[in-house]
Amino acid sequence: MQRTGNKPKWAAVREDYSKASLMHHLQDKPGMLRSVFQVLRPGGRLAIYGLCPQESADWLYYEYFPQAYAIDLTDFWPVESIMSIMEAIGLVAVTAERSLGGTSMTSGPSLPRST
C-alpha cells in the first residue's frame, strides 16, 4: 500500500517502510493502521504479513488444536477487511499475495505529496 495526502501535522518520526506482522495481537486494528499511515513518508511502504485462517481451515495445527481455529478467526481478520480499512484511511495501491498459510499485503512507493 502507498500513502498519499497531506503531510501529517504531528509525528516526529517518519518511516520509509513499516512492516506489521502483529495485527492479530491488537484490539484496535484500524487505529494501528491509521497510526502507521500518519508516520509513513511520501514514497513510504507498509507491508503486512499474517495468517489467514479463513483460507487455512485444513491446516494440520487446527486438527490438533481445534479450539485455536475459532480464536484465530476472531484475531486474524479476513484479507479483504484489512485491505478495505487500508484504502479507507488513504493508502493506495493496496495489493495482497497469498501463500501457504499466510498473506502478504504490500505495494510500491507512494505518490509524492503536494506542499
Side-chain angles (χ1 to χ4, degrees):
M1 62 222 93
Q2 305 167 341
R3 176 181 175 161
T4 61
N6 295 327
K7 183 177 181 179
K9 294 179 176 150
W10 65 274
V13 176
R14 295 279 183 257
E15 292 289 330
D16 292 319
Y17 177 82
S18 289
K19 180 181 178 214
S21 57
L22 54 84
M23 284 190 63
H24 60 284
H25 293 291
L26 304 173
Q27 289 184 0
D28 185 10
K29 292 167 180 56
M32 186 280 293
L33 291 170
R34 284 190 298 273
S35 294
V36 169
F37 177 75
Q38 290 294 315
V39 298
L40 277 179
R41 294 178 195 233
R45 302 172 189 218
L46 173 64
I48 297 175
Y49 182 80
L51 177 68
C52 188
Q54 296 82 3
E55 299 175 9
S56 305
D58 60 348
W59 188 25
L60 184 60
Y61 177 81
Y62 294 140
E63 184 177 328
Y64 290 98
F65 304 100
Q67 69 280 13
Y69 182 65
I71 294 168
D72 286 352
L73 286 173
T74 301
D75 291 344
F76 292 89
W77 285 8
V79 172
E80 293 74 20
S81 297
I82 296 170
M83 291 176 69
S84 293
I85 293 170
M86 292 174 177
E87 291 168 345
I89 64 172
L91 294 165
V92 297
V94 177
T95 61
E97 180 180 326
R98 289 167 168 83
S99 62
L100 183 60
T103 300
S104 294
M105 290 170 269
T106 114
S107 75
S110 64
L111 303 172
R113 287 182 275 192
S114 59
T115 54

